[in-house]
Amino acid sequence: MFGQTRDHGTIITIERHILQEQSFHPEASGTLTNLLYDLALAGKYIASHTSRGGLTPILGSTDDVNVQGERVMKLDKLADQAIYRLNDHTGRLAAMASEEHAEILPIPDGYPTGKYVLLFDPLDGSSNIDYNTSIGSVFSIYRRVSESGPGTLEDCLQPGRKLVVAGYLLYSVSTMLVYTTGSGVHGFTLDPSIGEFLLSHPNIRIPETPKYYSVNHGYNKYWSEGVRHFTRYLQGLEDEPNPLSLRYIGSLVGDFHRTLLSGGIFYYPADHHDPSKPHGKLRLAYEAAPLGFIMEQAGGSASDGQQNILDIQPQRLHQRTPLFVGNHELVEKAEEYIKRYD
Ligand code: AFP
């Protein structure tokens, strides 16, 4: 039943791991510990629904009424509500912000507010659901900057450098939770037979030798000269490195997770064909900053092509950014080509 961890055969549940981490901080009140545990719970809940996604033609599609007379909810809406509702009443958060909503989400009247804010992308890559391909959730936790009372937009608009926790859930062959509190990156795999996340990937470090590059080549025509030259470099056509192999799912969490474990680079550059997205597609606060923080904690780095993603002060909640994330040398190379040609 239990998988063994790579450590010394010990089985460590996520709960135990989070508590162990807390014990390294004698000043900790346990708020963050419980917050993380609730996010793991949200992950289990979402996974239990995503794993039934393929049954939609049988059980009813979105907005159909199912056999129990319930309306079938779109998975991204369900994930959004699960994360919000598990966290709205706990007194740990001052506010939340979700990629699904234009404005910040206040804590409902009647509940206390706390010292953190939670930002999340509840179900990223949802266009992959119909093809039974991996999807994920991404979360970020910051300490509030306002003094007290309801959280503010300013609490949510902080640069990635200020992150206290970043993590993601990957719903794929198995469900995984990967997170960092700023002292290493740890990965847990859900054992569905007991409903627990078990430590399967302690202290993840991006391998020094990169294996894959990951980008949507279909948009090559719309890239800048710098990005095109950088891509030729990865293909071994410039400066004569060995070519890297290409992998692209089109689901950020899946593409990021592979990059983290295999070494390489994922990028979604600025895209010059869609004037509504001159800065690419990915969101700084919900996607790029938390994944950048995780990558940096694992020994890699993240950039928008010019500067470290973690140094960018977001101006808007849904601000988009180009993203280059992976092995430090490759991210640096991307910046170099962009500087030289753009
Ligand atoms: P969807 O949620 O619409 O599937 O978008 C997923 C996503 O935001 C991110 O997960 C992918 O990395 C990226 O878009 C893929 O975009 P392209 O289809 O343009 O390559």
Side-chain angles (χ1 to χ4, degrees):
M1 170 172 73
F2 293 101
Q4 300 237 310
T5 66
R6 286 182 202 160
D7 247 349
H8 16 70
T10 359
I11 294 161
I12 302 175
T13 64
I14 194 159
E15 190 177 10
R16 180 149 300 280
H17 190 267
I18 296 170
L19 282 169
Q20 263 171 20
E21 291 256 305
Q22 186 190 323
S23 68
F24 300 136
H25 303 273
E27 74 291 353
S29 63
T31 309
L32 208 54
T33 303
N34 288 315
L35 187 44
L36 267 167
Y37 194 64
D38 281 344
L39 286 167
L41 191 58
K44 286 189 219 174
Y45 178 79
I46 298 166
S48 74
H49 284 80
T50 54
S51 61
R52 289 160 54 87
L55 295 170
T56 300
I58 304 165
L59 301 180
S61 63
T62 308
D63 279 341
D64 282 349
V65 174
N66 69 16
V67 281
Q68 282 89 32
E70 300 154 342
R71 195 164 287 284
V72 179
M73 209 189 287
K74 238 180 137 191
L75 278 173
D76 37 16
K77 203 165 167 200
L78 179 139
D80 185 53
Q81 289 197 4
I83 298 176
Y84 181 73
R85 289 207 180 141
L86 274 164
N87 289 289
D88 65 354
H89 58 281
T90 59
R92 298 175 195 130
L93 297 174
M96 288 181 253
S98 159
E99 209 254 349
E100 290 282 311
H101 300 265
E103 311 290 340
I104 64 167
L105 302 169
I107 298 303
D109 288 345
Y111 293 117
T113 51
K115 56 182 172 185
Y116 296 105
V117 289
L118 170 67
L119 277 69
F120 57 94
D121 184 354
L123 209 57
D124 188 72
S126 46
S127 64
N128 284 295
I129 293 173
D130 290 347
Y131 312 112
N132 220 343
T133 309
S134 61
I135 43 183
S137 310
V138 189
F139 55 88
S140 317
I141 300 172
Y142 293 90
R143 211 162 269 114
R144 70 184 299 170
V145 287
S146 57
E147 287 291 313
S148 58
T152 62
L153 179 61
E154 202 197 351
D155 292 325
C156 297
L157 292 183
Q158 300 193 49
R161 275 282 161 239
K162 295 269 163 81
L163 272 160
V164 178
V165 179
Y168 59 83
L169 285 138
L170 174 63
Y171 314 105
S172 184
V173 176
S174 37
T175 298
M176 279 198 76
L177 187 151
V178 175
Y179 83 95
T180 180
T181 55
S183 51
V185 180
H186 309 288
F188 300 79
T189 303
L190 182 64
D191 182 338
S193 65
I194 54 163
E196 281 286 358
F197 279 106
L198 304 179
L199 181 62
S200 51
H201 296 67
N203 250 322
I204 300 173
R205 304 291 299 169
I206 185 168
E208 277 175 24
T209 310
K211 193 165 178 188
Y212 300 118
Y213 77 102
S214 185
V215 68
N216 188 341
H217 260 286
Y219 296 147
N220 184 303
K221 161 177 178 181
Y222 305 119
W223 294 341
S224 68
E225 274 306 292
V227 172
R228 278 199 212 127
H229 278 281
F230 173 59
T231 307
R232 284 173 57 78
Y233 167 81
L234 296 171
Q235 295 168 328
L237 299 170
E238 281 187 32
D239 294 350
E240 297 178 40
N242 292 324
L244 295 185
S245 193
L246 166 73
R247 295 283 187 282
Y248 189 72
I249 306 170
S251 184
L252 179 62
V253 176
D255 283 319
F256 177 85
H257 185 69
R258 187 196 48 252
T259 306
L260 181 68
L261 296 189
S262 67
I265 187 162
F266 166 88
Y267 51 113
Y268 203 112
D271 175 339
H272 299 288
H273 80 298
D274 185 346
S276 73
K277 297 179 195 136
H279 303 294
K281 184 177 183 188
L282 303 178
R283 320 268 174 161
L284 173 60
Y286 298 108
E287 297 165 319
L291 297 183
F293 184 50
I294 295 169
M295 189 55 88
E296 206 169 281
Q297 281 295 314
S301 63
S303 165
D304 69 350
Q306 280 163 345
Q307 59 178 322
N308 192 308
I309 280 287
L310 301 182
D311 293 330
I312 305 175
Q313 166 66 51
Q315 303 299 323
R316 295 177 310 282
L317 219 39
H318 293 270
Q319 182 173 331
R320 296 178 196 267
T321 178
L323 175 66
F324 299 79
V325 61
N327 283 96
H328 184 62
E329 299 69 32
L330 293 181
V331 173
E332 239 177 21
K333 235 346 167 210
E335 286 179 342
E336 232 175 86
Y337 275 101
I338 287 168
K339 198 166 177 191
R340 194 180 324 159
Y341 291 100
D342 296 344

